[in-house]
């Protein structure tokens, strides 16, 4: 790792590999016993799970169009990025467009979460959080980078908007200082990086003891989504699930549903997906297509996706 590696790139590959193995073992166990994974986790506490999609667009009219499309697809909630790259202390003028974009979504009667993505530092994060507080947003996400639990807690005390984070916290132990500082309202562990279903369940239970809700991070594929759904179905403090369908970095021929034999398992109706009924993860992957595409991408020299590297006008690194 070089000194210029953005914090968002620092994910332990070992933890991610173990997460994959853990998810696979739960799937095998469920299939062997002929029950969905949620049955092995204690049973269902809900019949369906609320989900949100992503909307992009820098201009309010583009956001309105994108949110209307999500509404037509069945979503009642979306998430958007708060800002582009900002300097440590930047012009407050950059923040007015965030409010305008949020208003476009709210005008459609939809809920909206706003992902700061750790791009702001605490002065401007507090400034933007105070502006969004008046707009009735569902939550603000990563108002700061996840290296600042005490500063998160200060922010939580200064604004009434619910605060979410967790995609860069990879275990109960990473979450613990945030819970102890009363810094979070929503925990967003990523099942593909936190140790799989087993650790996601433990983080959810720990969160519950601090009155913190669970909203698993999942901008990834159908296996990760099915693993999140299995946990969400069985945990009382689950509130909403991220879905990567048509997220900005997917392509049309490699989207959430592309590799599923039966995409209807994740059909969005009235803002919800149904709890799965099939054994294990409740999905089947078209493995032949995965192998075919993998070979084709390798032959074409397509590289694995990496975070963009952003620099400001002065040449310094900016958080993606
Ligand atoms: Mg995020």
């Amino acid at each position: 790792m070089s000194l210029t590696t953005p914090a968002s790139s620092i994910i332990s590959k070992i933890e991610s590999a173990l997460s994959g193995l853990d998810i696979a073992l739960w799937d095998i166990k469920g299939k062997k016993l002929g029950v969905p994974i949620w049955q092995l986790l204690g049973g269902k506490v809900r019949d369906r799970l609320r989900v949100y999609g992503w909307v992009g667009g820098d201009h309010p009219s583009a956001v309105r169009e994108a949110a209307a499309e999500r509404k037509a697809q069945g979503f009642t909630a979306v998430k958007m990025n708060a800002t582009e790259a900002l300097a440590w202390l930047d012009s407050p003028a950059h923040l007015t467009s965030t409010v305008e974009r949020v208003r476009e979504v709210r005008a459609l009667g939809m809920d909206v979460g706003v992902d700061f993505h750790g791009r702001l530092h605490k002065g401007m994060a507090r400034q933007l959080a105070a502006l969004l507080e008046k707009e009735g947003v569902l939550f603000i996400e990563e108002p700061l980078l996840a290296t600042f639990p005490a500063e998160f807690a200060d922010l939580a005390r200064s604004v009434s908007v619910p605060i979410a984070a967790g995609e860069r916290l990879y275990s109960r132990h990473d979450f613990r200082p945030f819970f102890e500082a009363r810094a979070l309202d929503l925990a967003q562990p990523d099942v593909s990086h936190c140790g799989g279903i087993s650790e996601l369940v433990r983080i959810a239970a720990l969160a519950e003891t601090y009155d913190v809700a669970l909203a698993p991070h999942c901008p990834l594929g159908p296996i990760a989504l099915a693993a999140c759904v299995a946990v969400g179905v069985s945990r009382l403090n689950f509130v909403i699930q991220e879905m990567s369908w048509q997220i900005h970095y997917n392509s049309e021929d490699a989207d959430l549903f592309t590799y599923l034999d039966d995409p209807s398992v994740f059909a969005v109706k009235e803002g919800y997906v149904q709890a799965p009924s099939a054994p294990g993860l409740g999905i089947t992957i078209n493995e032949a297509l995965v192998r075919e595409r993998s070979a084709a991408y390798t032959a074409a020299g397509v590289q694995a996706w990496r975070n963009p590297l952003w620099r400001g006008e002065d040449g310094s690194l900016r958080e993606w």
Side-chain angles (χ1 to χ4, degrees), residues 43-294:
K44 268 197 303 186
V45 299
R46 54 180 52 83
D47 298 319
R48 54 185 193 160
L49 299 96
R50 195 174 185 206
V51 291
Y52 67 82
W54 264 88
V55 288
D58 298 328
H59 195 271
S61 64
V63 169
R64 183 171 56 233
E65 208 173 292
E69 197 178 324
R70 291 299 190 194
K71 192 173 179 178
Q73 289 169 340
F75 289 95
T76 57
V78 293
K79 190 165 84 181
M80 64 168 70
N81 277 323
T83 62
E84 290 296 306
L86 288 182
W88 203 294
L89 186 67
D90 218 320
S91 167
H94 289 297
L95 307 181
T96 53
S97 80
T98 312
V99 174
E100 284 170 27
R101 289 185 294 119
V102 163
R103 285 179 181 166
E104 291 293 344
V105 180
R106 299 283 293 128
L108 293 170
M110 302 182 82
D111 284 325
V112 56
V114 182
D115 191 350
F116 287 33
H117 223 268
R119 290 174 187 170
L120 285 79
H121 291 267
K122 66 180 181 181
M124 289 198 80
R126 194 168 57 238
Q127 203 169 21
L128 181 54
L131 291 173
L132 293 177
E133 189 174 33
K134 302 182 190 97
E135 304 301 324
V137 297
L138 203 54
F139 58 82
I140 60 170
E141 175 173 328
E142 287 196 320
L144 302 169
L145 282 173
T147 36
F148 297 112
E151 290 72 16
F152 260 80
D154 289 341
L155 189 66
R157 282 189 286 271
S158 77
V159 293
S160 64
V161 57
I163 294 177
E167 66 184 79
R168 301 182 232 213
L169 302 172
Y170 307 123
S171 70
R172 278 160 289 163
H173 311 289
D174 286 353
F175 274 95
R176 179 175 166 178
F178 285 84
F179 293 155
E180 289 184 343
R182 312 294 191 266
L184 294 183
D185 300 288
L186 281 85
Q188 300 175 304
D190 189 310
V191 73
S192 299
H193 304 305
C194 78
I197 288 172
S198 301
E199 185 66 6
L200 183 58
V201 167
R202 296 187 197 109
I203 293 168
L206 184 64
E208 195 177 357
T209 64
Y210 289 90
D211 201 22
V212 173
L214 179 73
H217 178 252
C218 192
L220 305 172
I223 295 174
L225 178 60
C228 292
V229 167
V231 176
V233 166
S234 65
R235 298 299 107 183
L236 200 58
N237 58 334
F238 168 87
V239 289
I240 197 162
Q241 180 59 55
E242 178 171 30
M243 265 182 96
S244 67
W245 184 23
Q246 295 179 344
I247 200 168
H248 47 93
Y249 46 69
N250 285 351
S251 63
E252 239 172 70
D253 66 343
D255 209 324
L256 178 65
F257 301 133
T258 306
Y259 300 104
L260 284 173
D261 282 338
D262 177 14
S264 73
V265 289
F266 295 135
V268 182
K269 284 190 187 139
E270 299 167 340
Y272 291 83
V273 297
Q274 285 296 317
S277 54
L281 287 168
I283 58 170
T284 50
I285 298 291
N286 183 344
E287 292 184 29
L289 184 61
V290 173
R291 288 198 176 88
E292 182 191 308
R293 292 278 172 83
S294 177

